[in-house]
Every structure is written in structure tokens, then in C-alpha cells.
Amino acid sequence: MLDKKRKIVIAITGASGSIYAKLLLDTLSSIKNIEVGVLLSDNAKIVWKTELANEGFNNYSFTFYDKNDF
């Protein structure tokens, strides 16, 4: 079997629970052989900043998509 990269797309909304999104992204960061795409809404960025007091979503090396990409 070929070692194909698995592709995963994560959509993070503005609902409360940024810690869970962060934990998921942290976990996915440590897995080899996957390609991750993230759609992070504007509200999700605000909630992340409010709940986690940082803009850590900028620190991941995943491909981030914007609503204008679609």
C-alpha cells in the first residue's frame, strides 16, 4: 500500500469551546502523514482570543482557508 497522506478538513465556528479546537489542532500537529485544512470563521477567531487570551491559531502550519476562498 502506498503511503498516501490522509486529508482532513476542520471547520471551527464561533461557538464556545476553543479549548477543544486547540486540543484537536495540537493533536493533529503531532500526527505524521496527514494534510490538514482549517476553515476558521471570523467569530471563531474572536471566541478563541476571548477564551484562550491569545491568537495561537496563527501558530499552526496547516493550510487555513477564508470564507472568501469559496
Side-chain angles (χ1 to χ4, degrees), residues 55-70:
E55 294 184 20
F57 52 83
N58 291 317
N59 298 333
Y60 295 96
S61 61
F62 304 133
T63 301
F64 280 81
Y65 297 97
D66 186 86
K67 65 185 175 195
N68 298 321
D69 293 334
F70 301 97

Side-chain angles (χ1 to χ4, degrees), residues 24-32 34 60-62:
L24 176 60
L25 295 179
D26 288 345
T27 300
L28 292 173
S29 294
S30 67
I31 299 173
K32 293 181 180 8
I34 63 169
Y60 295 96
S61 61
F62 304 133

